[in-house]
Amino acid sequence: MFNSRSHKINILESPISTITSAGHWFFATRSSVEEYVPGILEAHSFEDLIKKAVTWIDSADSLAMILYFILAFTVNPWIAIGGTFLFHLWWYFNKSAFVNIPATPILTFLNNDFLQLLVAGVALSYMGISGMYLAVAFGIIYFFLFKIGILRRGWDRLERNRRKDDKLPLNDRVLKMILVRYSMKENIAPGEIEKLEKHVQDAVIEFNTKKKDRKKK
């Protein structure tokens, strides 16, 4: 049975997973975080931890969009197009290695919808006036791909199909690093994070097993 919660971020919680209203799926849950990282929720709400993880997950879209508009004005359009695509792919699969608390507010600012609309509007208008039609076309395409999250969902599906059951999903890797960083900041022993990882792996295996059983039926 899912419970709907509406605090700083809208999430749905089940015994084995946490899902945000934007479709971000985590196998870590409130109870597993409470159990395996004792004391962390006294200093930081579960919603806040999930929100920070989502900030890093969504950063692939915002950073790639800004990168495109920078490259479009400085290099060949095709290099800007290809470089942006490759950066988005690389950052999305490797972002957990760069997670840190001080940088999170910066990414939150860059993820802001109004800021992105402003940057895209100004850049695309100038490109149109300057006759940069190829850059404008791909600027519009990338804007919608990033804002709707199509590429993110595509990488999620690719990662799910290739991931082994004993590996942490990408979203949970980010949340794990958020917990590790806060554990260090709050002087909470991070050793229990390994148990959290075990919980997530067990949940992934259970979920995949149930999915396979449903397909057989």
CSV table of all heavy atoms in Angstrom, one decimal, residues 37-76:
chain,number,residue,atom,x,y,z
A,37,VAL,N,21.1,4.2,8.9
A,37,VAL,CA,21.9,5.4,9.2
A,37,VAL,C,21.3,6.1,10.3
A,37,VAL,O,20.6,7.2,10.2
A,37,VAL,CB,22.0,6.3,7.9
A,37,VAL,CG1,23.1,7.4,8.1
A,37,VAL,CG2,22.2,5.6,6.7
A,38,PRO,N,21.4,5.5,11.5
A,38,PRO,CA,20.7,6.0,12.7
A,38,PRO,C,21.0,7.5,13.0
A,38,PRO,O,22.2,7.9,13.0
A,38,PRO,CB,21.2,5.1,13.9
A,38,PRO,CG,21.7,3.9,13.2
A,38,PRO,CD,22.2,4.4,11.8
A,39,GLY,N,20.0,8.3,13.2
A,39,GLY,CA,20.2,9.7,13.6
A,39,GLY,C,20.2,10.7,12.4
A,39,GLY,O,20.0,11.9,12.6
A,40,ILE,N,20.3,10.2,11.2
A,40,ILE,CA,20.4,11.1,10.1
A,40,ILE,C,19.1,11.8,9.8
A,40,ILE,O,19.1,13.0,9.5
A,40,ILE,CB,20.8,10.3,8.8
A,40,ILE,CG1,21.2,11.3,7.7
A,40,ILE,CG2,19.7,9.4,8.3
A,40,ILE,CD1,22.5,12.0,7.9
A,41,LEU,N,18.0,11.2,10.1
A,41,LEU,CA,16.7,11.8,9.9
A,41,LEU,C,16.3,12.8,11.0
A,41,LEU,O,15.3,13.5,10.8
A,41,LEU,CB,15.6,10.8,9.7
A,41,LEU,CG,15.7,9.9,8.5
A,41,LEU,CD1,14.5,8.9,8.3
A,41,LEU,CD2,15.9,10.7,7.2
A,42,GLU,N,17.0,12.8,12.1
A,42,GLU,CA,16.8,13.8,13.1
A,42,GLU,C,17.4,15.1,12.7
A,42,GLU,O,16.9,16.2,13.1
A,42,GLU,CB,17.5,13.3,14.4
A,42,GLU,CG,16.9,12.1,15.0
A,42,GLU,CD,17.6,11.6,16.3
A,42,GLU,OE1,18.5,12.4,16.7
A,42,GLU,OE2,17.3,10.5,16.8
A,43,ALA,N,18.4,15.1,11.8
A,43,ALA,CA,19.0,16.3,11.4
A,43,ALA,C,18.5,16.7,10.0
A,43,ALA,O,18.5,17.9,9.7
A,43,ALA,CB,20.5,16.2,11.3
A,44,HIS,N,18.1,15.8,9.2
A,44,HIS,CA,17.6,16.0,7.8
A,44,HIS,C,16.4,15.2,7.5
A,44,HIS,O,16.5,13.9,7.7
A,44,HIS,CB,18.7,15.8,6.8
A,44,HIS,CG,20.0,16.5,7.1
A,44,HIS,ND1,20.3,17.8,6.8
A,44,HIS,CD2,21.2,16.0,7.8
A,44,HIS,CE1,21.5,18.1,7.3
A,44,HIS,NE2,22.0,17.1,7.8
A,45,SER,N,15.4,15.8,7.0
A,45,SER,CA,14.2,15.0,6.7
A,45,SER,C,14.4,14.1,5.5
A,45,SER,O,15.3,14.4,4.7
A,45,SER,CB,13.0,16.0,6.4
A,45,SER,OG,13.2,16.6,5.2
A,46,PHE,N,13.6,13.0,5.5
A,46,PHE,CA,13.7,12.1,4.4
A,46,PHE,C,13.4,12.8,3.0
A,46,PHE,O,14.1,12.6,2.0
A,46,PHE,CB,12.8,10.9,4.6
A,46,PHE,CG,12.8,9.9,3.5
A,46,PHE,CD1,14.0,9.1,3.4
A,46,PHE,CD2,11.8,9.6,2.7
A,46,PHE,CE1,14.1,8.1,2.4
A,46,PHE,CE2,11.8,8.6,1.7
A,46,PHE,CZ,13.0,7.9,1.5
A,47,GLU,N,12.4,13.7,3.1
A,47,GLU,CA,12.1,14.4,1.8
A,47,GLU,C,13.2,15.3,1.4
A,47,GLU,O,13.5,15.4,0.2
A,47,GLU,CB,10.8,15.3,2.1
A,47,GLU,CG,9.5,14.5,2.3
A,47,GLU,CD,9.3,13.9,3.6
A,47,GLU,OE1,10.2,14.2,4.5
A,47,GLU,OE2,8.4,13.1,3.8
A,48,ASP,N,13.9,15.9,2.3
A,48,ASP,CA,15.0,16.7,2.0
A,48,ASP,C,16.2,15.9,1.3
A,48,ASP,O,16.8,16.4,0.4
A,48,ASP,CB,15.5,17.5,3.2
A,48,ASP,CG,16.6,18.5,2.8
A,48,ASP,OD1,16.3,19.4,1.9
A,48,ASP,OD2,17.7,18.5,3.4
A,49,LEU,N,16.4,14.8,1.9
A,49,LEU,CA,17.5,13.9,1.3
A,49,LEU,C,17.1,13.4,-0.1
A,49,LEU,O,18.0,13.4,-1.0
A,49,LEU,CB,17.7,12.7,2.2
A,49,LEU,CG,18.2,12.9,3.6
A,49,LEU,CD1,18.1,11.6,4.5
A,49,LEU,CD2,19.6,13.5,3.6
A,50,ILE,N,15.8,13.1,-0.3
A,50,ILE,CA,15.4,12.7,-1.6
A,50,ILE,C,15.5,13.9,-2.6
A,50,ILE,O,15.9,13.7,-3.7
A,50,ILE,CB,14.0,12.2,-1.6
A,50,ILE,CG1,13.9,10.8,-0.8
A,50,ILE,CG2,13.4,12.0,-3.0
A,50,ILE,CD1,14.6,9.7,-1.5
A,51,LYS,N,15.1,15.1,-2.1
A,51,LYS,CA,15.1,16.3,-2.9
A,51,LYS,C,16.5,16.6,-3.4
A,51,LYS,O,16.8,16.9,-4.6
A,51,LYS,CB,14.6,17.5,-2.1
A,51,LYS,CG,14.5,18.7,-2.9
A,51,LYS,CD,14.0,19.9,-2.1
A,51,LYS,CE,13.9,21.2,-2.9
A,51,LYS,NZ,13.4,22.3,-2.1
A,52,LYS,N,17.5,16.4,-2.5
A,52,LYS,CA,18.9,16.7,-2.9
A,52,LYS,C,19.4,15.6,-3.9
A,52,LYS,O,20.1,15.9,-4.8
A,52,LYS,CB,19.8,16.7,-1.6
A,52,LYS,CG,19.7,18.0,-0.8
A,52,LYS,CD,20.6,18.0,0.4
A,52,LYS,CE,20.6,19.3,1.0
A,52,LYS,NZ,19.3,19.8,1.4
A,53,ALA,N,19.0,14.4,-3.7
A,53,ALA,CA,19.3,13.3,-4.7
A,53,ALA,C,18.8,13.7,-6.1
A,53,ALA,O,19.4,13.5,-7.1
A,53,ALA,CB,18.9,12.0,-4.2
A,54,VAL,N,17.5,14.1,-6.1
A,54,VAL,CA,16.8,14.5,-7.3
A,54,VAL,C,17.5,15.6,-8.0
A,54,VAL,O,17.6,15.7,-9.2
A,54,VAL,CB,15.3,14.8,-7.1
A,54,VAL,CG1,14.7,15.4,-8.3
A,54,VAL,CG2,14.6,13.5,-6.7
A,55,THR,N,18.0,16.6,-7.2
A,55,THR,CA,18.8,17.7,-7.7
A,55,THR,C,20.0,17.3,-8.5
A,55,THR,O,20.2,17.7,-9.6
A,55,THR,CB,19.2,18.6,-6.6
A,55,THR,OG1,18.1,19.2,-5.9
A,55,THR,CG2,20.1,19.8,-7.1
A,56,TRP,N,20.7,16.3,-8.0
A,56,TRP,CA,21.8,15.8,-8.7
A,56,TRP,C,21.5,14.9,-9.9
A,56,TRP,O,22.1,15.0,-11.0
A,56,TRP,CB,22.7,14.9,-7.8
A,56,TRP,CG,23.6,15.8,-6.9
A,56,TRP,CD1,23.3,16.4,-5.7
A,56,TRP,CD2,24.9,16.3,-7.3
A,56,TRP,NE1,24.3,17.2,-5.3
A,56,TRP,CE2,25.3,17.1,-6.2
A,56,TRP,CE3,25.8,16.1,-8.3
A,56,TRP,CZ2,26.6,17.8,-6.2
A,56,TRP,CZ3,27.0,16.7,-8.3
A,56,TRP,CH2,27.4,17.6,-7.3
A,57,ILE,N,20.4,14.2,-9.8
A,57,ILE,CA,19.9,13.4,-10.9
A,57,ILE,C,19.5,14.3,-12.1
A,57,ILE,O,19.8,14.1,-13.3
A,57,ILE,CB,18.7,12.5,-10.5
A,57,ILE,CG1,19.1,11.5,-9.5
A,57,ILE,CG2,18.0,11.9,-11.7
A,57,ILE,CD1,18.0,10.8,-8.8
A,58,ASP,N,18.7,15.4,-11.8
A,58,ASP,CA,18.3,16.3,-12.8
A,58,ASP,C,19.4,17.2,-13.3
A,58,ASP,O,19.2,17.9,-14.4
A,58,ASP,CB,17.1,17.2,-12.3
A,58,ASP,CG,15.9,16.4,-12.1
A,58,ASP,OD1,15.8,15.3,-12.6
A,58,ASP,OD2,14.9,16.9,-11.4
A,59,SER,N,20.5,17.3,-12.7
A,59,SER,CA,21.6,18.2,-13.1
A,59,SER,C,22.1,17.8,-14.5
A,59,SER,O,22.7,18.7,-15.2
A,59,SER,CB,22.7,18.1,-12.1
A,59,SER,OG,23.4,16.9,-12.0
A,60,ALA,N,22.0,16.6,-14.9
A,60,ALA,CA,22.4,16.2,-16.2
A,60,ALA,C,21.7,17.0,-17.3
A,60,ALA,O,22.3,17.5,-18.3
A,60,ALA,CB,22.2,14.7,-16.5
A,61,ASP,N,20.4,17.2,-17.1
A,61,ASP,CA,19.7,18.0,-18.1
A,61,ASP,C,20.0,19.5,-18.0
A,61,ASP,O,20.3,20.1,-19.1
A,61,ASP,CB,18.2,17.9,-17.8
A,61,ASP,CG,17.6,16.5,-18.1
A,61,ASP,OD1,18.2,15.8,-18.9
A,61,ASP,OD2,16.7,16.0,-17.4
A,62,SER,N,20.1,20.1,-16.9
A,62,SER,CA,20.4,21.5,-16.8
A,62,SER,C,21.8,21.8,-17.2
A,62,SER,O,22.0,22.8,-17.9
A,62,SER,CB,20.1,22.0,-15.3
A,62,SER,OG,20.9,21.3,-14.4
A,63,LEU,N,22.8,21.0,-16.8
A,63,LEU,CA,24.2,21.3,-17.2
A,63,LEU,C,24.4,21.1,-18.7
A,63,LEU,O,25.1,21.9,-19.3
A,63,LEU,CB,25.1,20.4,-16.4
A,63,LEU,CG,25.2,20.6,-14.9
A,63,LEU,CD1,26.1,19.6,-14.2
A,63,LEU,CD2,25.7,22.0,-14.6
A,64,ALA,N,23.8,20.1,-19.2
A,64,ALA,CA,23.9,19.8,-20.6
A,64,ALA,C,23.3,21.0,-21.5
A,64,ALA,O,23.8,21.4,-22.5
A,64,ALA,CB,23.3,18.5,-21.0
A,65,MET,N,22.1,21.5,-21.0
A,65,MET,CA,21.5,22.6,-21.7
A,65,MET,C,22.3,23.8,-21.7
A,65,MET,O,22.5,24.4,-22.8
A,65,MET,CB,20.1,22.9,-21.0
A,65,MET,CG,19.3,23.9,-21.8
A,65,MET,SD,17.8,24.4,-20.9
A,65,MET,CE,17.0,22.9,-20.8
A,66,ILE,N,22.9,24.2,-20.6
A,66,ILE,CA,23.7,25.3,-20.5
A,66,ILE,C,25.0,25.1,-21.3
A,66,ILE,O,25.5,26.1,-22.0
A,66,ILE,CB,24.1,25.6,-19.0
A,66,ILE,CG1,22.8,26.1,-18.2
A,66,ILE,CG2,25.2,26.7,-18.9
A,66,ILE,CD1,23.0,26.2,-16.8
A,67,LEU,N,25.6,23.9,-21.3
A,67,LEU,CA,26.8,23.6,-22.0
A,67,LEU,C,26.5,23.8,-23.5
A,67,LEU,O,27.3,24.4,-24.3
A,67,LEU,CB,27.2,22.2,-21.8
A,67,LEU,CG,28.4,21.7,-22.6
A,67,LEU,CD1,29.7,22.5,-22.3
A,67,LEU,CD2,28.7,20.2,-22.4
A,68,TYR,N,25.3,23.4,-24.0
A,68,TYR,CA,25.0,23.5,-25.4
A,68,TYR,C,25.0,24.9,-25.9
A,68,TYR,O,25.6,25.3,-26.9
A,68,TYR,CB,23.6,22.9,-25.7
A,68,TYR,CG,23.2,23.1,-27.2
A,68,TYR,CD1,23.8,22.4,-28.2
A,68,TYR,CD2,22.3,24.1,-27.5
A,68,TYR,CE1,23.5,22.7,-29.5
A,68,TYR,CE2,22.0,24.4,-28.8
A,68,TYR,CZ,22.6,23.7,-29.8
A,68,TYR,OH,22.3,23.9,-31.1
A,69,PHE,N,24.3,25.8,-25.1
A,69,PHE,CA,24.3,27.2,-25.5
A,69,PHE,C,25.6,27.9,-25.4
A,69,PHE,O,25.9,28.8,-26.2
A,69,PHE,CB,23.2,27.9,-24.6
A,69,PHE,CG,21.8,27.6,-24.9
A,69,PHE,CD1,21.0,27.1,-23.9
A,69,PHE,CD2,21.3,27.6,-26.2
A,69,PHE,CE1,19.7,26.7,-24.2
A,69,PHE,CE2,20.0,27.3,-26.5
A,69,PHE,CZ,19.2,26.8,-25.5
A,70,ILE,N,26.5,27.4,-24.6
A,70,ILE,CA,27.9,28.0,-24.5
A,70,ILE,C,28.6,27.5,-25.8
A,70,ILE,O,29.3,28.3,-26.5
A,70,ILE,CB,28.6,27.5,-23.2
A,70,ILE,CG1,28.0,28.2,-22.0
A,70,ILE,CG2,30.1,27.9,-23.3
A,70,ILE,CD1,28.5,27.7,-20.7
A,71,LEU,N,28.6,26.2,-26.0
A,71,LEU,CA,29.3,25.6,-27.2
A,71,LEU,C,28.8,26.2,-28.5
A,71,LEU,O,29.5,26.4,-29.5
A,71,LEU,CB,29.2,24.1,-27.2
A,71,LEU,CG,30.0,23.4,-26.0
A,71,LEU,CD1,29.7,21.9,-26.1
A,71,LEU,CD2,31.4,23.7,-26.1
A,72,ALA,N,27.5,26.4,-28.6
A,72,ALA,CA,26.9,26.8,-29.9
A,72,ALA,C,27.4,28.2,-30.3
A,72,ALA,O,27.4,28.5,-31.5
A,72,ALA,CB,25.3,26.9,-29.7
A,73,PHE,N,27.8,29.0,-29.3
A,73,PHE,CA,28.3,30.3,-29.7
A,73,PHE,C,29.9,30.3,-29.8
A,73,PHE,O,30.4,31.3,-30.2
A,73,PHE,CB,28.0,31.3,-28.6
A,73,PHE,CG,26.5,31.7,-28.6
A,73,PHE,CD1,25.6,31.3,-27.6
A,73,PHE,CD2,26.0,32.5,-29.6
A,73,PHE,CE1,24.3,31.7,-27.7
A,73,PHE,CE2,24.7,32.9,-29.7
A,73,PHE,CZ,23.8,32.5,-28.7
A,74,THR,N,30.5,29.2,-29.5
A,74,THR,CA,32.0,29.2,-29.5
A,74,THR,C,32.6,28.2,-30.5
A,74,THR,O,33.8,28.4,-30.8
A,74,THR,CB,32.5,28.9,-28.1
A,74,THR,OG1,32.0,27.7,-27.6
A,74,THR,CG2,32.1,30.0,-27.1
A,75,VAL,N,31.9,27.1,-30.9
A,75,VAL,CA,32.5,26.1,-31.7
A,75,VAL,C,31.5,25.8,-32.9
A,75,VAL,O,30.4,26.3,-32.9
A,75,VAL,CB,32.8,24.8,-31.0
A,75,VAL,CG1,33.8,25.1,-29.9
A,75,VAL,CG2,31.5,24.2,-30.4
A,76,ASN,N,31.9,24.9,-33.8
A,76,ASN,CA,31.1,24.4,-34.9
A,76,ASN,C,29.8,23.8,-34.3
A,76,ASN,O,29.8,23.1,-33.3
A,76,ASN,CB,31.8,23.4,-35.7
A,76,ASN,CG,31.0,22.9,-36.8
A,76,ASN,OD1,30.2,22.0,-36.7
A,76,ASN,ND2,31.3,23.4,-38.0
